[in-house]
mmCIF file of all heavy atoms in Angstrom:
data_model
loop_
_atom_site.group_PDB
_atom_site.id
_atom_site.type_symbol
_atom_site.label_atom_id
_atom_site.label_comp_id
_atom_site.label_asym_id
_atom_site.label_seq_id
_atom_site.Cartn_x
_atom_site.Cartn_y
_atom_site.Cartn_z
ATOM 1 N N ARG A 409 13.026 5.398 29.130
ATOM 2 C CA ARG A 409 13.197 5.809 30.528
ATOM 3 C C ARG A 409 14.659 6.126 30.726
ATOM 4 O O ARG A 409 15.540 5.291 30.474
ATOM 5 C CB ARG A 409 12.755 4.696 31.471
ATOM 6 C CG ARG A 409 11.282 4.437 31.441
ATOM 7 C CD ARG A 409 10.482 5.548 32.082
ATOM 8 N NE ARG A 409 10.397 5.426 33.520
ATOM 9 C CZ ARG A 409 9.813 6.325 34.300
ATOM 10 N NH1 ARG A 409 9.309 7.426 33.773
ATOM 11 N NH2 ARG A 409 9.750 6.148 35.605
ATOM 12 N N ALA A 410 14.928 7.337 31.150
ATOM 13 C CA ALA A 410 16.300 7.779 31.389
ATOM 14 C C ALA A 410 16.463 8.126 32.861
ATOM 15 O O ALA A 410 15.486 8.218 33.610
ATOM 16 C CB ALA A 410 16.622 8.991 30.509
ATOM 17 N N VAL A 411 17.706 8.318 33.242
ATOM 18 C CA VAL A 411 18.026 8.770 34.604
ATOM 19 C C VAL A 411 18.373 10.250 34.534
ATOM 20 O O VAL A 411 19.159 10.670 33.673
ATOM 21 C CB VAL A 411 19.206 7.969 35.189
ATOM 22 C CG1 VAL A 411 19.617 8.530 36.546
ATOM 23 C CG2 VAL A 411 18.834 6.499 35.312
ATOM 24 N N ALA A 412 17.773 11.042 35.381
ATOM 25 C CA ALA A 412 18.044 12.475 35.388
ATOM 26 C C ALA A 412 19.467 12.726 35.886
ATOM 27 O O ALA A 412 19.831 12.312 36.990
ATOM 28 C CB ALA A 412 17.044 13.206 36.261
ATOM 29 N N ALA A 413 20.275 13.388 35.068
ATOM 30 C CA ALA A 413 21.648 13.715 35.462
ATOM 31 C C ALA A 413 21.685 14.971 36.329
ATOM 32 O O ALA A 413 22.742 15.328 36.857
ATOM 33 C CB ALA A 413 22.510 13.919 34.218
ATOM 34 N N GLU A 414 20.551 15.640 36.439
ATOM 35 C CA GLU A 414 20.388 16.810 37.300
ATOM 36 C C GLU A 414 18.905 16.924 37.596
ATOM 37 O O GLU A 414 18.084 16.196 37.024
ATOM 38 C CB GLU A 414 20.887 18.076 36.594
ATOM 39 C CG GLU A 414 20.129 18.373 35.304
ATOM 40 C CD GLU A 414 20.638 19.628 34.610
ATOM 41 O OE1 GLU A 414 20.742 20.663 35.285
ATOM 42 O OE2 GLU A 414 20.932 19.541 33.401
ATOM 43 N N ALA A 415 18.535 17.833 38.473
ATOM 44 C CA ALA A 415 17.121 18.019 38.775
ATOM 45 C C ALA A 415 16.399 18.556 37.536
ATOM 46 O O ALA A 415 16.847 19.510 36.905
ATOM 47 C CB ALA A 415 16.963 18.982 39.937
ATOM 48 N N ILE A 416 15.302 17.915 37.163
ATOM 49 C CA ILE A 416 14.482 18.342 36.028
ATOM 50 C C ILE A 416 13.089 18.580 36.586
ATOM 51 O O ILE A 416 12.332 17.645 36.825
ATOM 52 C CB ILE A 416 14.466 17.272 34.912
ATOM 53 C CG1 ILE A 416 15.886 17.019 34.406
ATOM 54 C CG2 ILE A 416 13.564 17.692 33.764
ATOM 55 C CD1 ILE A 416 15.993 15.916 33.370
ATOM 56 N N ARG A 417 12.759 19.850 36.807
ATOM 57 C CA ARG A 417 11.550 20.185 37.557
ATOM 58 C C ARG A 417 10.498 20.856 36.681
ATOM 59 O O ARG A 417 10.805 21.451 35.656
ATOM 60 C CB ARG A 417 11.903 21.101 38.736
ATOM 61 C CG ARG A 417 12.872 20.474 39.733
ATOM 62 C CD ARG A 417 12.945 21.263 41.012
ATOM 63 N NE ARG A 417 13.815 20.619 42.003
ATOM 64 C CZ ARG A 417 15.066 20.980 42.217
ATOM 65 N NH1 ARG A 417 15.584 21.980 41.533
ATOM 66 N NH2 ARG A 417 15.800 20.355 43.116
ATOM 67 N N ALA A 418 9.251 20.754 37.129
ATOM 68 C CA ALA A 418 8.112 21.390 36.455
ATOM 69 C C ALA A 418 7.437 22.305 37.471
ATOM 70 O O ALA A 418 6.737 21.823 38.372
ATOM 71 C CB ALA A 418 7.142 20.335 35.951
ATOM 72 N N PRO A 419 7.616 23.616 37.352
ATOM 73 C CA PRO A 419 7.117 24.524 38.393
ATOM 74 C C PRO A 419 5.616 24.741 38.391
ATOM 75 O O PRO A 419 5.060 25.170 39.406
ATOM 76 C CB PRO A 419 7.848 25.836 38.095
ATOM 77 C CG PRO A 419 8.221 25.749 36.661
ATOM 78 C CD PRO A 419 8.460 24.300 36.373
ATOM 79 N N ALA A 420 4.918 24.502 37.288
ATOM 80 C CA ALA A 420 3.474 24.743 37.230
ATOM 81 C C ALA A 420 2.739 23.450 36.932
ATOM 82 O O ALA A 420 3.339 22.468 36.470
ATOM 83 C CB ALA A 420 3.156 25.796 36.167
ATOM 84 N N ARG A 421 1.433 23.440 37.177
ATOM 85 C CA ARG A 421 0.624 22.234 36.976
ATOM 86 C C ARG A 421 0.221 22.128 35.509
ATOM 87 O O ARG A 421 -0.934 22.309 35.130
ATOM 88 C CB ARG A 421 -0.589 22.254 37.894
ATOM 89 C CG ARG A 421 -0.222 22.173 39.373
ATOM 90 C CD ARG A 421 -1.464 22.086 40.231
ATOM 91 N NE ARG A 421 -2.230 20.873 39.974
ATOM 92 C CZ ARG A 421 -1.990 19.696 40.525
ATOM 93 N NH1 ARG A 421 -0.959 19.549 41.346
ATOM 94 N NH2 ARG A 421 -2.748 18.652 40.256
ATOM 95 N N LEU A 422 1.215 21.854 34.687
ATOM 96 C CA LEU A 422 1.042 21.653 33.256
ATOM 97 C C LEU A 422 1.904 20.468 32.851
ATOM 98 O O LEU A 422 2.791 20.051 33.604
ATOM 99 C CB LEU A 422 1.490 22.891 32.467
ATOM 100 C CG LEU A 422 0.819 24.228 32.787
ATOM 101 C CD1 LEU A 422 1.595 25.364 32.133
ATOM 102 C CD2 LEU A 422 -0.622 24.228 32.297
ATOM 103 N N THR A 423 1.677 19.924 31.663
ATOM 104 C CA THR A 423 2.589 18.913 31.124
ATOM 105 C C THR A 423 3.747 19.639 30.459
ATOM 106 O O THR A 423 3.538 20.472 29.580
ATOM 107 C CB THR A 423 1.874 18.008 30.108
ATOM 108 O OG1 THR A 423 0.833 17.299 30.775
ATOM 109 C CG2 THR A 423 2.850 17.003 29.502
ATOM 110 N N TYR A 424 4.965 19.319 30.890
ATOM 111 C CA TYR A 424 6.167 19.988 30.382
ATOM 112 C C TYR A 424 6.898 19.079 29.390
ATOM 113 O O TYR A 424 6.941 17.853 29.561
ATOM 114 C CB TYR A 424 7.122 20.330 31.532
ATOM 115 C CG TYR A 424 6.784 21.618 32.251
ATOM 116 C CD1 TYR A 424 5.704 21.682 33.125
ATOM 117 C CD2 TYR A 424 7.534 22.766 32.046
ATOM 118 C CE1 TYR A 424 5.390 22.859 33.773
ATOM 119 C CE2 TYR A 424 7.230 23.940 32.693
ATOM 120 C CZ TYR A 424 6.155 23.989 33.558
ATOM 121 O OH TYR A 424 5.838 25.160 34.194
ATOM 122 N N PHE A 425 7.473 19.723 28.377
ATOM 123 C CA PHE A 425 8.354 19.044 27.422
ATOM 124 C C PHE A 425 9.669 19.810 27.417
ATOM 125 O O PHE A 425 9.792 20.854 26.776
ATOM 126 C CB PHE A 425 7.716 19.030 26.023
ATOM 127 C CG PHE A 425 6.432 18.261 25.953
ATOM 128 C CD1 PHE A 425 5.228 18.880 26.237
ATOM 129 C CD2 PHE A 425 6.432 16.917 25.623
ATOM 130 C CE1 PHE A 425 4.033 18.180 26.185
ATOM 131 C CE2 PHE A 425 5.245 16.198 25.568
ATOM 132 C CZ PHE A 425 4.037 16.834 25.853
ATOM 133 N N LEU A 426 10.646 19.315 28.170
ATOM 134 C CA LEU A 426 11.892 20.035 28.400
ATOM 135 C C LEU A 426 13.002 19.451 27.533
ATOM 136 O O LEU A 426 13.164 18.227 27.434
ATOM 137 C CB LEU A 426 12.275 19.963 29.878
ATOM 138 C CG LEU A 426 11.201 20.494 30.837
ATOM 139 C CD1 LEU A 426 11.603 20.264 32.285
ATOM 140 C CD2 LEU A 426 10.942 21.982 30.588
ATOM 141 N N ARG A 427 13.767 20.331 26.897
ATOM 142 C CA ARG A 427 14.825 19.893 25.996
ATOM 143 C C ARG A 427 15.994 19.329 26.787
ATOM 144 O O ARG A 427 16.532 19.998 27.672
ATOM 145 C CB ARG A 427 15.304 21.057 25.122
ATOM 146 C CG ARG A 427 14.393 21.385 23.955
ATOM 147 C CD ARG A 427 13.111 22.060 24.367
ATOM 148 N NE ARG A 427 13.369 23.380 24.914
ATOM 149 C CZ ARG A 427 12.566 23.972 25.816
ATOM 150 N NH1 ARG A 427 11.514 23.352 26.306
ATOM 151 N NH2 ARG A 427 12.849 25.182 26.242
ATOM 152 N N VAL A 428 16.380 18.086 26.448
ATOM 153 C CA VAL A 428 17.469 17.425 27.164
ATOM 154 C C VAL A 428 18.460 16.821 26.177
ATOM 155 O O VAL A 428 18.101 16.420 25.068
ATOM 156 C CB VAL A 428 16.947 16.319 28.113
ATOM 157 C CG1 VAL A 428 16.132 16.906 29.250
ATOM 158 C CG2 VAL A 428 16.137 15.274 27.356
ATOM 159 N N ALA A 429 19.710 16.798 26.593
ATOM 160 C CA ALA A 429 20.749 16.053 25.893
ATOM 161 C C ALA A 429 20.844 14.676 26.551
ATOM 162 O O ALA A 429 20.677 14.548 27.767
ATOM 163 C CB ALA A 429 22.084 16.780 25.980
ATOM 164 N N LEU A 430 21.104 13.654 25.751
ATOM 165 C CA LEU A 430 21.141 12.281 26.252
ATOM 166 C C LEU A 430 22.541 11.708 26.162
ATOM 167 O O LEU A 430 23.228 11.875 25.149
ATOM 168 C CB LEU A 430 20.175 11.408 25.454
ATOM 169 C CG LEU A 430 18.680 11.718 25.617
ATOM 170 C CD1 LEU A 430 17.868 10.930 24.613
ATOM 171 C CD2 LEU A 430 18.227 11.412 27.038
ATOM 172 N N GLU A 431 22.960 11.044 27.224
ATOM 173 C CA GLU A 431 24.225 10.321 27.240
ATOM 174 C C GLU A 431 23.885 8.837 27.400
ATOM 175 O O GLU A 431 23.178 8.459 28.337
ATOM 176 C CB GLU A 431 25.087 10.793 28.406
ATOM 177 C CG GLU A 431 25.298 12.312 28.442
ATOM 178 C CD GLU A 431 25.693 12.800 29.825
ATOM 179 O OE1 GLU A 431 25.855 11.954 30.743
ATOM 180 O OE2 GLU A 431 25.812 14.022 29.997
ATOM 181 N N GLU A 432 24.356 8.016 26.466
ATOM 182 C CA GLU A 432 24.051 6.588 26.523
ATOM 183 C C GLU A 432 25.257 5.822 27.024
ATOM 184 O O GLU A 432 26.391 6.043 26.587
ATOM 185 C CB GLU A 432 23.640 6.068 25.138
ATOM 186 C CG GLU A 432 23.171 4.625 25.156
ATOM 187 C CD GLU A 432 22.650 4.163 23.807
ATOM 188 O OE1 GLU A 432 22.780 4.924 22.825
ATOM 189 O OE2 GLU A 432 22.143 3.032 23.728
ATOM 190 N N SER A 433 25.017 4.922 27.956
ATOM 191 C CA SER A 433 26.088 4.100 28.499
ATOM 192 C C SER A 433 25.510 2.749 28.908
ATOM 193 O O SER A 433 24.540 2.700 29.689
ATOM 194 C CB SER A 433 26.729 4.788 29.713
ATOM 195 O OG SER A 433 27.716 3.954 30.295
ATOM 196 N N ASP A 434 26.083 1.667 28.357
ATOM 197 C CA ASP A 434 25.655 0.305 28.690
ATOM 198 C C ASP A 434 24.148 0.118 28.494
ATOM 199 O O ASP A 434 23.465 -0.514 29.309
ATOM 200 C CB ASP A 434 26.051 -0.050 30.133
ATOM 201 C CG ASP A 434 27.561 -0.037 30.335
ATOM 202 O OD1 ASP A 434 28.268 -0.392 29.378
ATOM 203 O OD2 ASP A 434 28.017 0.340 31.432
ATOM 204 N N GLY A 435 23.622 0.716 27.425
ATOM 205 C CA GLY A 435 22.219 0.508 27.102
ATOM 206 C C GLY A 435 21.242 1.359 27.883
ATOM 207 O O GLY A 435 20.025 1.201 27.726
ATOM 208 N N SER A 436 21.728 2.245 28.725
ATOM 209 C CA SER A 436 20.835 3.128 29.472
ATOM 210 C C SER A 436 21.168 4.583 29.150
ATOM 211 O O SER A 436 22.249 4.890 28.639
ATOM 212 C CB SER A 436 20.958 2.889 30.981
ATOM 213 O OG SER A 436 22.283 3.159 31.414
ATOM 214 N N PHE A 437 20.242 5.483 29.450
ATOM 215 C CA PHE A 437 20.394 6.887 29.113
ATOM 216 C C PHE A 437 20.438 7.747 30.373
ATOM 217 O O PHE A 437 19.769 7.459 31.373
ATOM 218 C CB PHE A 437 19.214 7.377 28.253
ATOM 219 C CG PHE A 437 19.176 6.794 26.865
ATOM 220 C CD1 PHE A 437 18.381 5.692 26.589
ATOM 221 C CD2 PHE A 437 19.911 7.359 25.841
ATOM 222 C CE1 PHE A 437 18.325 5.150 25.313
ATOM 223 C CE2 PHE A 437 19.870 6.829 24.562
ATOM 224 C CZ PHE A 437 19.079 5.727 24.299
ATOM 225 N N ARG A 438 21.220 8.809 30.279
ATOM 226 C CA ARG A 438 21.188 9.877 31.278
ATOM 227 C C ARG A 438 20.744 11.150 30.561
ATOM 228 O O ARG A 438 21.234 11.450 29.459
ATOM 229 C CB ARG A 438 22.569 10.080 31.918
ATOM 230 C CG ARG A 438 22.941 8.982 32.903
ATOM 231 C CD ARG A 438 24.387 9.112 33.359
ATOM 232 N NE ARG A 438 24.665 10.391 33.989
ATOM 233 C CZ ARG A 438 24.423 10.687 35.262
ATOM 234 N NH1 ARG A 438 23.833 9.761 36.036
ATOM 235 N NH2 ARG A 438 24.730 11.844 35.766
ATOM 236 N N ALA A 439 19.820 11.866 31.168
ATOM 237 C CA ALA A 439 19.240 13.063 30.550
ATOM 238 C C ALA A 439 19.667 14.298 31.315
ATOM 239 O O ALA A 439 19.586 14.346 32.547
ATOM 240 C CB ALA A 439 17.721 12.961 30.533
ATOM 241 N N ARG A 440 20.135 15.291 30.559
ATOM 242 C CA ARG A 440 20.574 16.555 31.158
ATOM 243 C C ARG A 440 19.959 17.708 30.367
ATOM 244 O O ARG A 440 19.933 17.672 29.128
ATOM 245 C CB ARG A 440 22.108 16.648 31.120
ATOM 246 C CG ARG A 440 22.684 17.861 31.837
ATOM 247 C CD ARG A 440 24.202 17.888 31.714
ATOM 248 N NE ARG A 440 24.833 16.686 32.244
ATOM 249 C CZ ARG A 440 25.098 16.482 33.526
ATOM 250 N NH1 ARG A 440 24.783 17.423 34.414
ATOM 251 N NH2 ARG A 440 25.678 15.368 33.921
ATOM 252 N N LEU A 441 19.434 18.704 31.060
ATOM 253 C CA LEU A 441 18.850 19.863 30.389
ATOM 254 C C LEU A 441 19.883 20.518 29.481
ATOM 255 O O LEU A 441 21.073 20.587 29.813
ATOM 256 C CB LEU A 441 18.343 20.881 31.415
ATOM 257 C CG LEU A 441 17.184 20.427 32.306
ATOM 258 C CD1 LEU A 441 16.905 21.465 33.379
ATOM 259 C CD2 LEU A 441 15.933 20.175 31.479
ATOM 260 N N THR A 442 19.425 21.004 28.325
ATOM 261 C CA THR A 442 20.345 21.630 27.372
ATOM 262 C C THR A 442 20.661 23.078 27.733
ATOM 263 O O THR A 442 21.386 23.744 27.008
ATOM 264 C CB THR A 442 19.752 21.607 25.959
ATOM 265 O OG1 THR A 442 18.487 22.295 25.960
ATOM 266 C CG2 THR A 442 19.565 20.183 25.477
ATOM 267 N N GLY A 443 20.116 23.567 28.831
ATOM 268 C CA GLY A 443 20.339 24.955 29.242
ATOM 269 C C GLY A 443 19.023 25.595 29.625
ATOM 270 O O GLY A 443 18.030 24.903 29.903
ATOM 271 N N PRO A 444 18.977 26.924 29.669
ATOM 272 C CA PRO A 444 17.719 27.605 29.989
ATOM 273 C C PRO A 444 16.602 27.152 29.060
ATOM 274 O O PRO A 444 16.820 26.899 27.878
ATOM 275 C CB PRO A 444 18.068 29.087 29.781
ATOM 276 C CG PRO A 444 19.555 29.160 29.964
ATOM 277 C CD PRO A 444 20.089 27.867 29.436
ATOM 278 N N GLN A 445 15.401 27.067 29.603
ATOM 279 C CA GLN A 445 14.280 26.459 28.886
ATOM 280 C C GLN A 445 13.261 27.482 28.376
ATOM 281 O O GLN A 445 12.119 27.133 28.075
ATOM 282 C CB GLN A 445 13.577 25.443 29.783
ATOM 283 C CG GLN A 445 14.459 24.260 30.176
ATOM 284 C CD GLN A 445 14.730 23.328 29.024
ATOM 285 O OE1 GLN A 445 13.825 22.785 28.422
ATOM 286 N NE2 GLN A 445 16.002 23.118 28.713
ATOM 287 N N GLY A 446 13.674 28.758 28.260
ATOM 288 C CA GLY A 446 12.777 29.782 27.755
ATOM 289 C C GLY A 446 12.294 29.454 26.354
ATOM 290 O O GLY A 446 13.051 28.951 25.516
ATOM 291 N N SER A 447 11.009 29.770 26.075
ATOM 292 C CA SER A 447 10.420 29.377 24.797
ATOM 293 C C SER A 447 10.932 30.193 23.620
ATOM 294 O O SER A 447 10.682 29.840 22.469
ATOM 295 C CB SER A 447 8.891 29.482 24.864
ATOM 296 O OG SER A 447 8.491 30.799 25.173
ATOM 297 N N GLY A 448 11.639 31.294 23.887
ATOM 298 C CA GLY A 448 12.195 32.077 22.789
ATOM 299 C C GLY A 448 13.614 31.686 22.422
ATOM 300 O O GLY A 448 14.200 32.266 21.500
ATOM 301 N N LEU A 449 14.187 30.713 23.123
ATOM 302 C CA LEU A 449 15.581 30.337 22.907
ATOM 303 C C LEU A 449 15.679 29.184 21.906
ATOM 304 O O LEU A 449 14.892 28.243 21.964
ATOM 305 C CB LEU A 449 16.222 29.926 24.224
ATOM 306 C CG LEU A 449 16.168 30.974 25.338
ATOM 307 C CD1 LEU A 449 16.726 30.415 26.636
ATOM 308 C CD2 LEU A 449 16.935 32.232 24.927
#
Side-chain angles (χ1 to χ4, degrees):
R409 292 289 277 176
V411 175
E414 60 180 309
I416 300 176
R417 299 193 177 99
R421 294 184 63 84
L422 303 168
T423 297
Y424 277 74
F425 297 88
L426 303 175
R427 282 73 66 208
V428 293
L430 293 171
E431 307 159 3
E432 186 175 7
S433 176
D434 297 326
S436 61
F437 291 97
R438 286 172 58 83
R440 186 182 302 278
L441 295 173
T442 58
Q445 296 289 302
S447 59
L449 303 175

